[in-house]
């Protein structure tokens, strides 16, 4: 059998040697196939590159629009407040009571707007002092409350979607000094 295998190999080699034209045709065919595959891959590459370029341009445009129109929701919610204030100011003979009512209505509108926009008021009166949300403006001795309790709020703080925008400015209690 090993002689048969060697004999087959010799015949195959002879066939290759006998027909160089056949070999050339085969190589030419392989070359054409490789060139066709290379052209196809090049076209895939160009399409993918164009798609990436388009995606990059679209993302850039979307980001620019997000920056440009990012406060659109705020403006939409704020316009009714402005309209209410303008109506209140247009009243000719307003009394102090009617002005106060108008301010209360405007404040209610502002509070609703802030709630819709995810703005949270921080009013920590009588709460434990929290350095993450409060800024101590002063400390005052007090026997009435535990030390480190907020006993006065000079200015409320605000958070936007749980992110602190402005800390509450507070006065904090400290232990009363014995006399």
């Amino acid at each position: 059998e090993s002689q048969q295998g060697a004999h087959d190999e010799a015949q195959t080699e002879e066939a290759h040697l006998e027909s160089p034209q056949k070999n050339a045709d085969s190589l030419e065919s392989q070359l054409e196939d490789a060139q066709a595959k290379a052209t196809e891959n090049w076209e895939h590459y160009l399409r993918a590159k164009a798609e990436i370029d388009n995606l990059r341009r679209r993302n850039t445009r979307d980001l620019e629009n997000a920056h440009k129109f990012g406060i659109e929701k705020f403006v939409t919610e704020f316009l009714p407040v402005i309209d209410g204030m303008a109506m209140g100011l247009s009243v000719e003979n307003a009394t102090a009571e009617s002005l106060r009512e108008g301010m209360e209505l405007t404040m209610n509108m502002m509070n609703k707007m802030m709630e819709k926009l995810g703005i949270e008021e921080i009013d920590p009166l009588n709460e434990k002092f929290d350095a993450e949300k409060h800024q101590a403006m002063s400390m005052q001795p007090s026997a009435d409350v535990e030390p480190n309790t907020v006993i006065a709020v000079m200015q409320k703080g605000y958070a936007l979607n749980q992110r602190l925008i402005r800390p509450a400015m507070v006065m904090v209690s400290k232990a009363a000094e014995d006399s």
Side-chain angles (χ1 to χ4, degrees), residues 145-156:
V145 294
E146 283 187 40
N148 282 335
T149 300
V150 175
I151 54 176
V153 178
M154 283 79 127
Q155 188 178 60
K156 295 176 184 176

Side-chain angles (χ1 to χ4, degrees), residues 158-173:
Y158 292 92
L160 175 61
N161 299 319
Q162 285 88 44
R163 181 178 175 190
L164 186 68
I165 299 298
R166 181 178 84 188
M169 307 268 186
V170 298
M171 183 184 298
V172 183
S173 66

Side-chain angles (χ1 to χ4, degrees), residues 114-115 118-122 133 157-163:
M114 288 172 47
E115 187 178 315
I119 301 170
E120 177 190 351
E121 184 178 83
I122 301 171
K133 297 179 183 176
Y158 292 92
L160 175 61
N161 299 319
Q162 285 88 44
R163 181 178 175 190

Side-chain angles (χ1 to χ4, degrees), residues 41-112:
N41 287 338
W42 180 251
E43 288 171 1
H44 283 305
Y45 162 76
L46 290 177
R47 275 196 292 276
K49 185 179 181 317
E51 197 172 313
I52 288 171
D53 289 345
N54 288 338
L55 188 61
R56 187 175 292 126
R57 276 193 293 274
R58 192 173 322 125
N59 285 343
T60 300
R61 185 181 61 241
D62 289 350
L63 186 61
E64 286 171 358
N65 284 340
H67 287 297
K68 198 175 192 180
F69 302 110
I71 64 168
E72 183 174 2
K73 183 177 180 186
F74 171 80
V75 171
T76 303
E77 294 296 330
F78 191 60
L79 290 176
V81 176
I82 292 174
D83 294 340
M85 290 176 74
M87 283 176 31
L89 288 173
S90 69
V91 174
E92 291 289 326
N93 299 321
T95 63
E97 186 178 320
S98 69
L99 288 173
R100 180 167 180 76
E101 273 181 42
M103 287 181 74
E104 286 173 355
L105 287 171
T106 302
M107 192 65 189
N108 286 338
M109 289 173 74
M110 291 287 285
N111 287 335
K112 285 179 187 171

Side-chain angles (χ1 to χ4, degrees), residues 1-71:
E1 283 183 30
S2 64
Q3 281 184 340
Q4 181 64 36
H7 185 264
D8 288 343
E9 274 183 42
Q11 278 186 338
T12 306
E13 204 170 301
E14 281 178 26
H16 285 298
L17 292 175
E18 285 174 15
S19 60
Q21 184 60 39
K22 206 175 191 182
N23 269 349
D25 290 346
S26 172
L27 288 174
E28 209 169 288
S29 169
Q30 289 176 4
L31 178 61
E32 286 173 7
D33 289 348
Q35 285 174 333
K37 189 70 176 164
T39 302
E40 182 183 332
N41 287 338
W42 180 251
E43 288 171 1
H44 283 305
Y45 162 76
L46 290 177
R47 275 196 292 276
K49 185 179 181 317
E51 197 172 313
I52 288 171
D53 289 345
N54 288 338
L55 188 61
R56 187 175 292 126
R57 276 193 293 274
R58 192 173 322 125
N59 285 343
T60 300
R61 185 181 61 241
D62 289 350
L63 186 61
E64 286 171 358
N65 284 340
H67 287 297
K68 198 175 192 180
F69 302 110
I71 64 168

